[in-house]
Amino acid sequence: MKGFKVLNPGIHSLLQDMGRFGYHSLGITSGGAFDQYSFGWANQLCHNLDNAGCIEILVGGLILEAQVTTQIAITGADVPIKINDSTVESWCTHNIQAGDTIAFGYATAGCRAYLAVAGGIQAPLIFNSLSTVVRESLGGLTKLGTPLEKGDVLSCSSNSHCTERSVPAKYHCEFNTDTAEIRMVTGYQYEQFSQQQISQFFATDYVISSNSDRMGYRLEGPAIEVPSCEMLSEGISLGAVQLPANGMPIILLCDRQTIGGYPKLGSVFSQDIAKLAQMMPGKKLRFKPFSIEQAQRVLQESTSK
Amino acid sequence: MSIGYPKVVVASENSTIVYFSERPCRKTSDQIDYTANALKIRLGEELIDLIPSYHSLLVIYDPLKIGFQKIEQEIRDTIGRWKASNQPQQSRIVELPVYYSPESGPDLQRIADHSGLSIDQVIELHQQTEYTVYAMGFAPGFAYLGEVDERIAMPRLATPRHNVPQGAVAIADRQTAIYPSQSPGGWNLVGLCPLGLFNADKRPHSPMQVGDKLRFKSIDRDEFIQLGGSDKKLTGEIT
């Protein structure tokens, strides 16, 4: 089948959808688009189903050649994009002709861009998802967890051109220039930490370590004394903030292991996981406590808009 | 039910963790299994996923369809029904062949030295125990089994191996497991299972699931090869 041919996969480009659910008890993680906000807009622009397959482009460098006539949309990080010789905008759709070349430069703000195609990118599903999880060797074009490679062809249907659409600027990602505020729903072993440990945690400006990826973000800052609670391994939710014995928090993300035995203070609010997805190592963040009532109210409000 | 249990604790904006007891035991495993199955039926589309583990169950739900107070009520009602039902769960017993030997289990000697037992005694203690599958995680199909006889309990390696072969049977403290795929790992290797333990394309994806009982059966080198084991794993050509 025809679609888009990968001329250059760039730094690390992955096929992703909303993720893999219903198989955590086998040890299979969720995977899925890291910045679900930008991913969601890319599919919406193309009038796709919410779960349609997209490309998650880390930093940039991806070059595609179109073999079909269709529409695409690009959202997420600020990345210079060229279609043939013209520079084009992101957060909007573009009509594409067979033979066109789409080339990404490198992100100037944020770090993950999403490319959706009208009708979605087709790939074999494994455990009901095409999401690529390199660590588990699952998903993607090969079903074996491989990132995009030169010569790959991403199957897409042909679609007639239509009026171009764009996302109003007020809904574009905002990229923090200073310390990002990350809301964390308090939970898990939170009550077992002392007042002093908790105050220190919320007062610290943490730096995202270079040893961070889709599995987890390691944070650097003054070590927190970890309560000596005996722990049995238990299920880990998306965004869980765990404190291993060295007292440096790790935020567990889309490709996390499904169970683990370190004490956890709670889990990052999903709207702020999208923010984390756009933060490179070296960026700073500070946690803010968020109650389950607040979190679920905000979720309800943002979908009823 | 032990005093203060079940504990139902918020884990994230869309998940709640239920602790059934202080320590894992047969009754706890039965309750977790019952609750997981009953919630699947009760909740339908409101439920996204479940992660059973030693003494807990993480319930992941759709917060746009059901709120955290309602989910807690559903969980408590479900567990309450288990008490009333009073039906002992029948666990499946799975038997897996293992070729135990120094060539397939390079840490047998270390465990023997540590425990003051012979290699044969270590193997005998490992294979005579009936284990419970407490959890699956770390990697797809990786089952945490407990509990190993305390005489052969062994701390993890100080420096994990870069490559543990697929099928390696291993011990860490009082846990034991089989590596379903080649991966790095710090557990002590005692033998090799010739069978595939995770297949994404075939059902069942894994020969065992959480709540099952498991026994290992000692086989010799010839049987290992006959059952599909690769002798390359024995000569170190596949690490």
Side-chain angles (χ1 to χ4, degrees), chain B residues 31 53 62 67 86 91 97 104 115 147 160 201 204 206 212 219 228 230 233 238:
Chain B
Q31 285 178 325
S53 191
D62 182 344
N86 212 13
S91 303
S104 55
S115 60
E147 287 190 311
D201 294 316
S206 162
D212 284 348
I219 54 168
S230 165
K233 284 183 189 163
I238 299 176

Side-chain angles (χ1 to χ4, degrees), chain B residues 108-127:
Chain B
L108 275 171
Q109 188 63 55
R110 267 168 38 84
I111 300 172
D113 293 346
H114 185 257
S115 60
L117 301 166
S118 69
I119 284 183
D120 285 346
Q121 286 170 316
V122 172
I123 294 170
E124 187 48 33
L125 286 174
H126 189 261
Q127 73 144 357

Side-chain angles (χ1 to χ4, degrees), chain B residues 27 31 33-34 55 80 86 103 113 128 131 139 141 193 207 215:
Chain B
K27 188 178 147 197
Q31 285 178 325
D33 187 59
Y34 170 83
H55 67 333
N86 212 13
E103 68 171 341
D113 293 346
Q128 75 180 21
Y131 300 102
C193 173
R215 297 192 76 97

Side-chain angles (χ1 to χ4, degrees), chain A residues 9 19 29 31 53 67 80 112 125 133 140 153 206 220 275 292 301:
Chain A
T29 196
Q67 301 170 326
R112 284 179 172 85
L125 303 185
V133 179
V153 176
Y206 287 105
E220 290 163 356
K275 251 192 236 176
I292 182 75
E301 284 167 5

Side-chain angles (χ1 to χ4, degrees), chain A residues 109-267:
Chain A
C111 55
R112 284 179 172 85
Y114 291 84
L115 182 147
V117 181
I121 295 167
Q122 308 299 316
L125 303 185
I126 183 109
F127 296 107
N128 288 331
S129 165
L130 57 71
S131 286
T132 315
V133 179
V134 176
R135 186 178 67 82
E136 291 184 343
S137 306
L138 281 183
L141 270 193
T142 58
K143 294 183 15 184
L144 296 171
T146 33
L148 293 190
E149 287 173 1
K150 186 178 174 181
D152 282 349
V153 176
L154 308 168
S155 299
C156 307
S157 55
S158 289
N159 284 281
S160 51
H161 286 168
C162 38
T163 320
E164 300 203 350
R165 292 177 288 272
S166 62
V167 177
K170 65 176 176 178
Y171 296 122
H172 295 188
C173 288
E174 281 174 35
F175 304 109
N176 290 83
T177 45
D178 199 17
T179 306
E181 186 180 270
I182 299 296
R183 290 163 289 182
M184 185 193 76
V185 177
T186 57
Y188 279 118
Q189 287 75 33
Y190 185 78
E191 302 289 338
Q192 291 167 41
F193 285 78
S194 72
Q195 199 48 55
Q196 190 271 327
Q197 289 161 339
I198 284 173
S199 318
Q200 184 192 338
F201 174 75
F202 288 118
T204 301
D205 282 355
Y206 287 105
V207 178
I208 299 172
S209 135
S210 55
N211 194 3
S212 296
D213 56 20
R214 285 174 46 94
M215 184 179 180
Y217 274 19
R218 289 171 187 275
L219 303 180
E220 290 163 356
I224 290 181
E225 200 194 321
V226 180
S228 56
C229 43
E230 198 195 334
M231 287 270 306
L232 286 163
S233 288
E234 62 186 31
I236 298 176
S237 62
L238 176 63
V241 179
Q242 71 174 21
L243 271 164
N246 70 5
M248 304 282 187
I250 301 174
I251 310 173
L252 294 159
L253 298 161
C254 16
D255 292 357
R256 70 201 174 281
Q257 67 276 32
T258 51
I259 64 171
Y262 291 117
K264 297 171 284 298
L265 284 156
S267 304

Side-chain angles (χ1 to χ4, degrees), chain B residues 109-177:
Chain B
Q109 188 63 55
R110 267 168 38 84
I111 300 172
D113 293 346
H114 185 257
S115 60
L117 301 166
S118 69
I119 284 183
D120 285 346
Q121 286 170 316
V122 172
I123 294 170
E124 187 48 33
L125 286 174
H126 189 261
Q127 73 144 357
Q128 75 180 21
T129 306
E130 184 178 275
Y131 300 102
T132 300
V133 180
Y134 281 123
M136 288 182 101
F138 174 66
F142 187 99
Y144 290 84
L145 309 166
E147 287 190 311
V148 168
D149 189 291
E150 59 188 347
R151 283 169 285 179
I152 56 168
M154 186 79 193
R156 287 171 179 77
L157 305 179
T159 310
R161 289 185 170 86
H162 287 296
N163 275 311
V164 173
Q166 183 274 328
V169 178
I171 294 176
D173 301 317
R174 293 196 64 186
Q175 304 180 98
T176 186

Side-chain angles (χ1 to χ4, degrees), chain A residues 21-26 126-127 135 143 187-189 230 232-234 237 258-259 267 269-270 292-293 296 300 303, chain B residues 9-13 15 19 23-24 49 51 53 56 61 63-64 67-68 135-138 140-141 144 200-201 205:
Chain A
F21 299 98
Y23 301 97
H24 288 356
S25 61
L26 281 175
I126 183 109
F127 296 107
R135 186 178 67 82
K143 294 183 15 184
Y188 279 118
Q189 287 75 33
E230 198 195 334
L232 286 163
S233 288
E234 62 186 31
S237 62
T258 51
I259 64 171
S267 304
F269 185 48
S270 53
I292 182 75
E293 290 88 350
Q296 294 198 342
Q300 294 282 359
T303 46
Chain B
V9 179
V10 167
S12 76
E13 73 194 40
S15 62
Y19 299 99
R23 300 287 315 163
D49 217 332
I51 308 180
S53 191
S56 66
Y61 57 94
L64 299 177
F68 75 101
M136 288 182 101
F138 174 66
Y144 290 84
D201 294 316
H205 303 294

